[in-house]
Structure formats: structure tokens, C-alpha cells
């Protein structure tokens, strides 16, 4: 039901507009919007602009920035508030919501019927507009005709405020630069004396400065709220460690109930594919991207807003300004390009302040792909920009922050806030991110991921397109997604996505080598241990294609690596007499005999474990293992002190690694052996590695204990234990 406007004399006892005090403003808020009180710094912003002062307002996503210009529009008896918005969808939504509340609001855009536009212009020209709020695009402001109209309105004293929503779009340092926003810098000189309110959720200090300078704000009141979104729980999952990340997401959504969610993907085809997969699994969802026609897009949006569908699988253009309050999960199925973009997108969760979730699926391939796209985008930008080097550096630094968010073992919330220059105590998170809640588990995943990286980097087993990227990627097609500065060629909708053709191939490729999870690896290795492997046609791992075979070159490299580790062990144990070459061959053979035929990954892991063992093995351990081929070993005197035992990384979880360790190791081209030993802290002393059978038997005993209570199959238990921990 429509509600009439609250007569101002009721709100302020009939006094003049200027004297509207807090009480009157609260009355307006309650009457029109039904909110009991102002939130955060809303009132400060409102009071500032009503007194004629410029204001820069930095509030978190969903903080209620719109209210900072909507209430002033209602607090003046006459005149309008002009609101500049980057998206038509955003204007449409806000205007619709305001009209439903009985507030006279309109927007002007090329998508509107001429008749509607004429009516708005008539009202503006009337000298006594009935409109309270007029939403426009920055492009319209830049047209001489419209500016003349605005000046006329201003001369009549009817322009009360200019509000610039999503003001970070003005800055080329921001994550969402819109060149048309630059044109807003003339507003101050054309409309002197009209207060300007700049609003944003994501401006880092450099962007804040640029916004204030570009808009020529004069002694603005600068309001900054914390970026913290305490109701959002942050989590990262590692695609490379999951059996099937499609199924994983499906499980997450199903186990969360019929909740409202947004899943962000890099490409349109990925949206279609994932949406089809989720639908097949009984999840109510639809894809949304620029490849769909207008009708389909708006029907998806309507269905989602009205809860007919629960999940939208979309490209990043979806959501800016879409105010569905009860989004419980925002999932990034591919890594975003920057922390600012991530903050803005994940911030669409929990606008009702209730508990919500941000879940990011991080994959090494996605990461490389994104780096490629960003570099590619920068190349294009360089054609128009003088400071290409600076910009490229910035883009990649921004992206690196995002990578560190995923690859670091520290608090995720803290990382987000630090990106925006906020220093926060460690206690702030209160275990509302996975890294704080399950630090050991996260550290374990990171170590597994580091190992995967090293193996893939060394042996080029990456699934991504990098090797063929240069001939497949089309610069124009990728840049559409990453840069909104191609506005001349874009529709005003500004719905933009990345390339599709490539994505199809990429997606297909990404699904090919289905990874084994822990239980899968255990099963496979067990079979090997029992010498089942030669002819098992049912074993997926055994039937891996030749490309995964352990080559002679790899074996040679491993031997070399083991030799190095043996030499170090020799030195550590007081120049122990040992036949290094022979011992290295022996150990390498052991690894090969056990795991060589399963493929290089398992073989390589075994070599890595052996190297780790050598880095801490004591005299007795070495004698036991290498005594048969080193008769000289028994002649050596044992060391006086034995290194203390440390928990087995395999069973208890790994040594925590820092993100810089991780990057160094991934970057290192020279020696994987060195990288791996560096990753495990040199001061960490590890016990002898159990044989695989010993490990399996320990694990089986544990699992049997659990299965007695869970009444599930051993494999199910192993898998569920992992999954359950992640879902907590
Ligand atoms: N004082 C208030 N009390 C309660 N709810 C409020 C208040 N002010 C705004 N809201 C609600 O908060 C939600 C978010 O508001 P709004 O869209 O203005 O946020 P925003 O800061 O512009 O977010 P974004 O950065 O995502 O655009 C809306 O549903 C709005 O009705
Ligand atoms: Mg907003």
C-alpha cells in the first residue's frame, strides 16, 4: 500500500527546513522507511548536507548510504536531490522502491519511453517540481543540454543536493573506474553552492583522495565507518584439493537449506554450466549474464528478487545496487580481481545484518588465468594511459592481495580490513573465518596446495590454458569484463562479462583430470601397496594417461634431489660416512617401486616425503633404512643427542607456512627440493616417516573407531570427517 509523504510540519513542528533537528529527521526515517533509528554515521551525513556542507561518506556495503541522500530529499519542502548512479538497474531498483513508499522519485535514461522522459522534463521545467529525487547517469550530466537544465533549476534555488553514489568509480585507482564519472568534476563550477555528497563502500586512501579532489569537494565532512562486516563468515576452499568442486558447492547450497545465494563466475559459459549442474542437483537456480536477452535477464532477476529462485549464478556485473537483504551466501567460484571487488561482491550477503557466508573457491589455474587476463587488460589500457607501468603494477598488486587472502594462513577478516587501511586486533574476528576457526586444517590445506603447486610447476601438469593462451585469447573479448572504460562501445546497462568461447574449452579442460581426495588417494595407494595395480581396469588412477607417467628425467631429478638431501644429512650428523650416490639410488628406487606406476604426482610426493625425512633423520633411522647398502654406516659413532620427536605431519597436520614461504616456493624454478625443505621450517624436526601400510593401519584404527559411532563405510567416514570439519 502506498503511503503519503509525511507533512514536514508534522516532522518538525512547522518550523523552517533549516532547523530540522535530529528528532524530526528520525520521524522522517520512521514514517517513510519504517526504520526505528539512524545507523552508524547516517545522521552526521544528513545533517552535514542539509547545512550546505560537502560530505565524503565511506560506509560498508549494505550500511545504508542511500538514506544519506533520501532523507535530505524529504527534509526540504521544495526542490530536488540529484543522484548520480553508475547503473540503470540500480536506478530502476531504487526508484521503484521509493515509489512504492509514496516518494516522488524518477530516473532519466535512454531506456525509458519518450513519453515518460517528457513528463519528467516538464516537471523539472515547471519551476515547482513535484519530484523529490531524480536519478541520472554520469553520461547524461555531461551532455550540454542537461547541464543547462540543471543550471536553470539551480538558479531557481531548487537544487538541494547532488549525491554521487558509488563515487569510487571516479578514480582510476579504484576497482571500478568509469571514465564518464570524470565528467562530474565540472559539477562544482556549474552548480556553485550546491552541496555534494560522495558515497562509496570501497575507497582505499588513495581513491578517497582522488574522489575528493576530482569532485572539488570543499572542506568536506569526511565520514568513515569500519569496513568490518561482522555478520559475514569468510571461508576459502581449495579447488585443487577437492574431489569435485562442483559437487562441493552443490553440497554447500543443499546443506544450507533453501537459502538465497549469489554465485559469481568468471565467464558466461561457466555460469550456464554451473547453473545447469546445480539445477540437476535439485537446487533452484538460474544463470544471469550479458549473453542472455533482456527479457530473460529481467525475468531471472524478478524471480530471484521475489524468491521464486534461490540461487543466481552470475558474472560480476550482477548485484551492484540490487538490494535483496536476505542473501545468505555469496560464493566466488573463481578468484576475484582485487580485494575491493571481493569486498563489494561478498558484501552483498547479509544486508539484513543476519549471519551470512562468503565462500571463495580458489584454484591455481584460476589464479594464473586471472593474472593473464589482468596483464592483458593492462596492455590494452596502456594504449590510452600514460602511466601504464604504474597501473599494471597496481592491478597486479591488487590481485596479489587477493591471492594472499586465499593462500595466507592468517585471519581472513583481518586481511580484508587491512587492505582498507584498518588496523584491527586479532580478537576482532572471534572465529568467524575459517582460518581463525580451524587454523590447523587451513594450514594443512595450504601445505597440500603448496605441494601441488610445486609438482605442477616443475612438471607442467597445469590444466590451464597458459601454454595456448596467446593464440586463443582475444584481447578485446577479455577486456570487456575487466574494464568498464570501454563505455562508448558498451550499453548503458554496463553488464559485462568475459570471453565465452575460450571458457568452454577451459571449463571442459578443467573437468578432465578429476582429482582424488584424501580417501581416494588412500584407496589408490593401498591398492598399490598390495600390488594390485597392474591390471585393474576399474581403477581410475591406474588408468591415467601416459602424460602422467613417471619419466626417466623425473627419476634423475629425484635422485639428484635425494643426493642433496643426503649430503645435508651427512653434514648434520658430523660427516657421517655414507655412499651418497648409491643411497640416493636406493631411496629413489624405493619411491619408484611403490608409487612410480600410479603417476608422477604420487611418486613425487613420496620423494618429497623422503627428502623431508632425510632433513631430520637421526643416526639410528639412517642406519635402519640404509644400513644394508652402507656397511660403513655401522662404523660411525651415533650422535650424542637424539632430536626430539615432532608430530607426524601426515597425521597431525603440517607445520604452518606463511604466504611468503608459499610464494617463494611456487616461484622457485631452480630446485623443487630446496623449495620443499624450505616450506617445512628448517627448525622443525620430523620423526621418521611411517611406511604407507603403517599410516593406513593407524588411520584405519581411527576410522574404525569413528565408524562404530557413525555407522558409515570407512571411505565415507574419511571423506565425511574432512567435509564435516570444513562445514563447521
Ligand atoms: N537506519 C536504518 N535502519 C535499518 N535499516 C536500514 C537503515 N538504513 C538503511 N537500511 C537498510 O539497509 C539496507 C542497505 O541500504 P543501502 O542500499 O542504502 O546500502 P548501501 O550502503 O548503499 O549499500 P551498497 O554499498 O551495497 O550500495 C537497505 O535495505 C535499507 O533499507
Ligand atoms: Mg548503495
Amino acid at each position: 500500500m502506498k503511503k503519503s509523504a509525511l507533512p514536514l510540519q508534522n516532522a518538525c513542528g512547522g518550523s523552517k527546513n533549516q532547523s530540522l533537528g535530529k528528532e524530526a529527521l528520525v520521524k522522517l526515517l520512521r514514517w517513510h522507511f519504517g526504520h526505528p533509528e539512524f545507523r552508524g554515521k547516517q545522521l552526521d551525513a544528513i545533517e552535514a548536507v542539509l547545512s550546505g556542507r560537502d560530505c565524503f561518506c565511506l560506509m560498508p556495503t549494505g550500511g545504508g548510504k542511500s538514506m544519506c541522500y533520501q532523507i535530505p530529499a524529504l527534509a526540504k519542502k521544495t526542490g530536488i536531490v540529484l543522484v548520480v548512479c553508475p547503473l540503470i538497474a540500480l536506478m530502476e531498483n531504487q526508484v521503484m522502491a521509493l515509489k512504492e513508499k509514496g516518494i516522488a522519485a524518477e530516473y532519466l535514461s535512454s531506456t525509458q519511453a519518450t513519453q515518460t522522459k517528457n513528463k519528467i522534463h516538464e516537471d523539472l521545467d515547471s519551476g515547482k517540481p513535484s519530484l523529490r529525487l531524480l536519478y541520472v547517469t554520469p553520461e547524461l550530466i555531461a551532455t550540454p543540454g542537461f547541464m543547462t537544465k540543471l543550471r536553470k533549476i539551480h538558479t531557481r534555488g531548487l537544487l538541494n543536493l547532488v549525491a554521487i553514489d558509488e563515487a569510487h568509480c571516479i578514480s582510476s585507482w579504484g576497482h571500478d573506474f568509469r571514465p564518464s564519472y570524470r565528467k562530474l568534476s565540472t559539477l562544482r563550477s556549474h552548480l556553485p553552492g550546491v552541496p555534494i555528497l560522495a558515497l562509496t563502500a570501497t575507497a582505499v586512501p588513495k581513491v578517497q583522495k582522488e574522489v575528493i579532489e576530482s569532485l572539488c569537494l570543499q572542506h568536506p565532512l569526511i565520514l568513515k565507518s569500519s569496513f568490518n562486516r561482522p555478520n559475514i563468515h569468510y571461508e576459502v576452499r581449495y579447488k585443487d584439493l577437492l574431489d569435485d568442486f562442483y559437487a562441493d558447492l552443490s553440497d554447500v547450497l543443499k546443506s544450507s537449506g533453501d537459502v538465497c545465494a549469489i554465485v559469481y563466475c568468471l565467464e558466461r559459459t561457466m555460469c550456464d554450466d554451473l547453473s545447469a549442474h546445480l539445477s540437476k542437483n535439485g537446487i533452484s537456480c538460474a544463470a544471469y549474464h550479458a549473453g542472455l536477452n533482456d527479457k530473460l535477464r529481467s525475468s531471472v532477476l524478478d524471480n530471484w528478487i521475489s524468491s521464486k529462485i534461490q540461487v543466481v549464478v552470475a558474472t560480476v556485473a550482477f548485484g551492484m545496487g540490487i538490494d535483496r537483504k536476505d542473501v545468505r551466501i555469496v560464493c566466488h567460484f573463481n578468484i576475484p580481481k582485487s580485494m575491493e571487488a571481493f569486498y563489494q561482491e561478498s558484501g552483498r550477503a547479509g544486508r539484513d545484518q543476519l549471519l551470512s557466508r562468503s565462500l571463495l573457491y580458489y584454484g591455481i589455474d584460476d589464479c594464473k588465468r586471472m593474472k593473464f587476463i589482468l596483464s592483458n587488460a593492462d596492455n590494452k589500457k596502456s594504449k590510452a594511459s600514460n602511466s601504464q607501468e604504474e597501473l599494471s603494477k597496481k592491478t597486479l598488486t591488487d590481485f596479489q592481495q587477493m591471492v594472499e587472502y586465499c593462500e595466507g594462513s592468517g585471519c581472513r577478516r583481518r586481511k580484508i580490513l587491512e587492505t582498507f587501511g584498518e588496523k584491527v586486533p586479532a580478537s576482532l574476528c572471534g572465529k568467524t573465518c575459517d582460518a581463525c576457526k580451524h587454523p590447523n586444517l587451513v594450514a594443512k590445506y595450504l601445505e597440500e596446495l603448496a605441494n601441488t603447486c610445486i609438482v605442477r610447476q616443475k612438471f607442467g601438469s597445469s590444466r590451464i590454458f597458459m601454454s595456448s593462451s596467446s593464440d586463443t585469447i582475444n584481447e578485446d573479448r577479455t577486456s570487456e569484463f575487466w574494464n568498464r572504460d570501454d563505455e562508448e562501445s558498451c550499453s548503458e546497462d554496463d553488464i559485462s562479462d568475459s570471453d565465452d568461447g575460450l571458457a568452454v574449452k577451459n571449463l571442459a579442460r578443467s573437468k578432465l583430470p578429476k582429482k582424488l581426495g584424501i580417501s581416494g588417494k588412500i584407496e589408490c595407494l593401498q591398492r598399490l601397496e598390495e600390488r594390485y595395480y597392474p591390471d585393474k581396469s576399474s581403477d581410475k588412477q591406474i588408468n591415467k594417461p601416459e602424460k602422467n607417467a613417471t619419466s626417466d628425467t623425473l627419476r634423475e631429478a629425484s635422485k639428484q634431489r635425494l643426493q642433496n638431501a643426503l649430503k645435508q644429512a651427512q653434514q648434520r650428523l658430523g660427516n657421517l660416512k655414507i655412499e651418497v650416490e648409491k643411497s640416493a639410488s636406493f631411496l629413489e628406487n624405493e619411491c619408484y617401486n611403490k608409487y612410480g606406476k600410479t603417476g608422477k604426482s604420487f611418486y613425487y610426493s613420496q620423494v618429497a616425503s623422503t627428502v623431508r625425512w632425510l632433513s631430520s633423520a637421526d643416526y639410528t633411522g639412517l642406519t635402519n633404512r640404509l644400513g644394508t647398502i652402507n656397511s660403513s654406516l655401522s662404523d660411525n659413532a651415533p650422535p650424542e643427542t637424539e632430536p626430539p620427536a615432532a608430530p607426524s605431519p601426515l597425521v597431525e597436520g603440517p607445520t604452518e607456512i606463511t604466504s611468503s614461504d608459499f610464494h617463494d616456493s611456487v616461484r622457485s624454478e631452480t630446485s623443487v627440493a630446496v623449495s620443499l625443505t624450505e616450506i617445512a621450517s628448517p627448525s622443525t624436526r620430523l620423526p621418521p616417516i611411517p611406511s604407507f601400510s603403517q599410516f593406513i593401519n593407524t588411520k584405519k584404527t581411527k576410522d574404525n573407531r569413528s565408524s562404530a559411532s557413525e555407522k558409515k563405510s570407512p571411505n565415507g567416514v574419511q571423506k565425511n570427517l574432512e567435509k564435516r570439519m570444513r562445514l563447521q
Side-chain angles (χ1 to χ4, degrees):
M1 200 180 70
K2 287 193 179 180
K3 189 192 275 182
S4 63
L6 174 70
L8 282 173
Q9 50 270 39
N10 290 349
C12 54
S15 62
K16 288 179 185 171
N17 288 347
Q18 299 90 304
S19 60
L20 272 191
K22 182 187 167 193
E23 209 181 301
L25 295 169
V26 171
K27 258 187 192 170
L28 284 174
L29 176 78
R30 290 180 187 161
W31 176 262
H32 289 284
F33 300 97
H35 302 316
E37 293 299 334
F38 284 112
R39 248 196 220 154
K41 304 234 158 80
Q42 281 176 332
L43 186 62
D44 299 312
I46 293 165
E47 285 178 335
V49 296
L50 282 174
S51 71
R53 189 172 175 190
D54 289 344
C55 179
F56 176 87
C57 183
L58 187 64
M59 256 188 213
T61 47
K65 289 183 284 296
S66 321
M67 213 54 75
C68 301
Y69 51 81
Q70 288 169 350
I71 291 287
L74 298 162
K76 295 274 188 179
K77 277 184 185 164
T78 53
I80 64 163
V81 165
L82 186 78
V83 185
V84 182
C85 265
L87 295 180
I88 290 176
L90 192 143
M91 299 197 291
E92 271 175 359
N93 276 312
Q94 289 212 7
V95 167
M96 201 172 67
L98 289 169
K99 280 182 169 175
E100 272 172 16
K101 292 180 169 64
I103 298 167
E106 287 293 354
Y107 69 94
L108 278 171
S109 91
S110 56
T111 55
Q112 269 172 320
T114 318
Q115 216 185 348
T116 319
K117 280 195 258 190
N118 288 345
K119 259 179 101 177
I120 297 168
H121 283 295
E122 267 170 38
D123 188 54
L124 292 174
D125 295 339
S126 69
K128 205 173 181 298
S130 61
L131 272 183
R132 289 305 181 87
L133 289 123
L134 177 66
Y135 287 76
V136 294
T137 56
E139 287 83 359
L140 185 65
I141 298 246
T143 59
F146 190 72
M147 187 49 92
T148 311
K149 180 158 289 184
L150 281 181
R151 291 174 69 143
K152 229 177 181 173
I153 298 169
H154 175 46
T155 317
R156 292 172 174 166
L158 295 171
L159 191 54
N160 295 327
L161 170 69
V162 177
I164 319 285
D165 208 0
E166 313 287 352
H168 58 274
C169 294
I170 206 167
S171 165
S172 54
W173 295 106
H175 69 96
D176 232 340
F177 175 49
R178 299 273 305 252
S180 56
Y181 260 65
R182 288 273 185 209
K183 296 167 189 159
L184 301 177
S185 53
T186 60
L187 278 169
R188 171 61 78 213
S189 55
H190 283 298
L191 308 167
V194 179
I196 298 179
L197 169 64
L199 304 129
T200 179
T202 58
V204 291
K206 203 167 183 172
V207 176
Q208 287 169 29
K209 193 165 169 274
E210 205 180 349
V211 170
I212 290 171
E213 283 171 5
S214 305
L215 291 173
C216 311
L217 300 189
Q218 290 175 356
H219 310 294
L221 175 68
I222 299 178
L223 297 170
K224 290 187 198 171
S225 312
S226 168
F227 286 89
N228 189 24
R229 294 290 310 273
N231 62 320
I232 300 181
H233 181 285
Y234 297 94
E235 183 186 349
V236 176
R237 293 195 178 190
Y238 299 95
K239 283 180 169 177
D240 300 85
L241 306 180
L242 288 165
D243 290 350
D244 180 343
F245 39 86
Y246 276 64
D248 191 78
L249 174 62
S250 193
D251 289 347
V252 168
L253 292 170
K254 277 207 237 158
S255 62
S256 309
D258 202 15
V259 296
C260 175
I262 306 173
V263 180
Y264 284 113
C265 295
L266 181 61
E267 295 119 346
R268 299 172 193 176
T269 39
M270 174 69 90
C271 294
D272 293 335
D273 200 87
L274 183 56
S275 170
H277 176 89
L278 296 176
S279 299
K280 230 168 49 197
N281 280 280
I283 293 161
S284 150
C285 73
Y288 182 103
H289 52 72
L292 308 176
N293 64 40
D294 289 355
K295 212 172 142 194
L296 192 53
R297 243 181 15 222
S298 65
S299 99
V300 171
L301 186 57
D302 288 349
N303 287 339
W304 182 74
I305 288 189
S306 60
S307 297
K308 281 187 197 136
I309 53 169
Q310 292 304 315
V311 181
V312 169
V313 186
T315 54
V316 290
F318 179 82
M320 192 176 186
I322 290 172
D323 183 22
R324 185 165 168 178
K325 294 191 188 93
D326 60 340
V327 179
R328 294 276 74 87
I329 300 177
V330 171
C331 168
H332 283 87
F333 207 59
N334 305 102
I335 185 169
K337 65 172 175 167
S338 68
M339 202 63 128
E340 281 183 279
F342 171 68
Y343 176 77
Q344 184 112 29
E345 286 146 23
S346 60
R348 284 170 195 139
R351 288 158 73 89
D352 54 7
Q353 316 301 314
L354 298 178
L355 280 186
S356 309
R357 216 166 147 184
S358 154
L359 176 61
L360 193 160
Y361 283 88
Y362 176 70
I364 298 166
D365 294 347
D366 288 351
C367 181
K368 289 184 180 171
R369 175 162 168 64
M370 182 64 83
K371 258 189 200 153
F372 180 86
I373 292 173
L374 292 174
S375 318
N376 198 49
D378 279 347
N379 285 343
K380 189 169 182 201
K381 263 188 196 168
S382 72
K383 288 171 196 161
S385 165
N386 298 328
S387 56
Q388 182 236 340
E389 224 175 276
E390 232 184 323
L391 214 52
S392 298
K393 230 167 95 185
K394 153 97 171 81
T395 310
L396 292 173
T397 314
D398 284 354
F399 180 59
Q400 194 52 36
Q401 284 180 329
M402 202 57 242
V403 173
E404 276 162 24
Y405 172 84
C406 301
E407 290 182 358
S409 53
C411 173
R412 314 250 189 232
R413 181 178 304 282
R414 201 168 173 185
K415 268 187 206 130
I416 297 172
L417 297 176
E418 279 174 359
T419 308
F420 298 112
E422 270 185 53
K423 293 263 170 296
V424 293
S427 56
L428 179 88
C429 184
K431 302 198 175 179
T432 54
C433 79
D434 57 344
C436 290
K437 199 168 181 184
H438 301 298
N440 292 339
L441 196 60
V442 170
K444 175 175 169 283
Y445 291 144
L446 289 172
E447 183 170 302
E448 281 180 29
L449 187 70
N451 287 335
T452 311
C453 280
I454 292 163
V455 171
R456 284 169 59 176
Q457 183 173 16
K458 182 77 181 172
F459 302 108
S461 62
S462 172
R463 283 175 282 138
I464 61 159
F465 64 97
M466 291 303 281
S467 57
S468 58
S469 58
S470 50
D471 34 81
T472 349
I473 286 208
N474 173 322
E475 199 179 287
D476 289 332
R477 290 153 93 195
T478 51
S479 64
E480 188 194 347
F481 179 79
W482 298 108
N483 299 296
R484 292 172 183 227
D485 45 4
D486 273 352
E487 286 172 353
E488 274 93 62
S489 59
C490 278
S491 84
E492 270 188 81
D493 278 313
D494 193 38
I495 295 193
S496 46
D497 306 285
S498 182
D499 164 48
D500 278 347
L502 172 69
V504 179
K505 288 183 206 154
N506 202 27
L507 180 65
R509 244 174 274 174
S510 74
K511 280 177 166 179
L512 283 175
K514 207 167 174 318
K515 292 210 159 285
L516 290 179
I518 285 188
S519 53
K521 282 178 191 165
I522 288 169
E523 265 180 62
C524 177
L525 292 172
Q526 254 183 307
R527 276 197 284 268
L528 283 164
E529 183 99 331
E530 291 156 15
R531 300 181 191 284
Y532 270 96
Y533 51 82
D535 295 307
K536 288 276 170 198
S537 56
S538 60
D539 191 323
K540 273 190 246 163
Q541 190 64 29
I542 286 150
N543 287 334
K544 279 221 163 177
E546 231 0 74
K547 70 182 166 116
N548 194 27
T550 311
S551 68
D552 288 347
T553 326
L554 172 55
R555 293 194 63 184
E556 265 318 304
S558 301
K559 259 181 229 165
Q560 192 55 52
R561 202 179 150 190
L562 288 160
Q563 273 187 33
N564 292 342
L566 277 159
K567 279 179 196 160
Q568 280 170 16
Q570 227 179 359
Q571 279 172 15
R572 188 168 42 81
L573 296 171
N575 283 329
L576 200 68
K577 278 185 205 154
I578 198 167
E579 292 185 63
V580 173
E581 220 171 289
K582 208 168 148 190
S583 304
S585 294
F586 171 80
L587 291 173
E588 190 279 331
N589 248 318
E590 245 184 22
C591 299
Y592 184 75
N593 288 340
K594 274 190 173 178
Y595 307 119
K597 289 178 187 166
T598 46
K600 59 189 173 195
S601 306
F602 289 128
Y603 162 77
Y604 200 79
S605 295
Q606 184 60 16
V607 174
S609 298
T610 312
V611 168
R612 270 210 300 276
W613 170 72
L614 282 171
S615 73
S616 61
D618 58 16
Y619 171 80
T620 324
L622 277 175
T623 314
N624 288 346
R625 193 148 172 194
L626 299 172
T628 48
I629 53 153
N630 281 286
S631 48
S632 54
L633 258 183
S634 48
D635 303 336
N636 286 288
E640 284 186 1
T641 49
E642 295 271 312
S648 159
L650 210 53
V651 181
E652 301 289 334
T655 313
E656 186 164 299
I657 58 169
T658 65
S659 94
S660 58
D661 288 336
F662 180 80
H663 289 299
D664 288 342
S665 67
V666 170
R667 262 184 243 124
S668 168
E669 287 281 346
T670 48
S671 164
V672 177
V674 173
S675 301
L676 271 174
T677 43
E678 274 172 0
I679 281 173
S681 155
S683 60
T684 308
R685 300 242 167 96
L686 302 172
I689 291 183
S691 80
F692 194 72
S693 301
Q694 283 169 333
F695 170 63
I696 290 301
N697 289 337
T698 326
K699 191 156 177 50
K700 266 187 179 162
T701 321
K702 277 190 185 174
D703 288 342
N704 286 343
R705 260 186 258 134
S706 319
S707 67
S709 58
E710 304 234 0
K711 297 195 169 100
K712 283 192 178 166
S713 74
N715 284 342
V717 171
Q718 284 154 11
K719 203 165 185 165
N720 287 339
L721 271 175
E722 282 284 311
K723 285 201 170 146
R724 218 179 318 120
M725 285 184 80
R726 313 192 101 206
L727 285 168
Q728 278 163 5

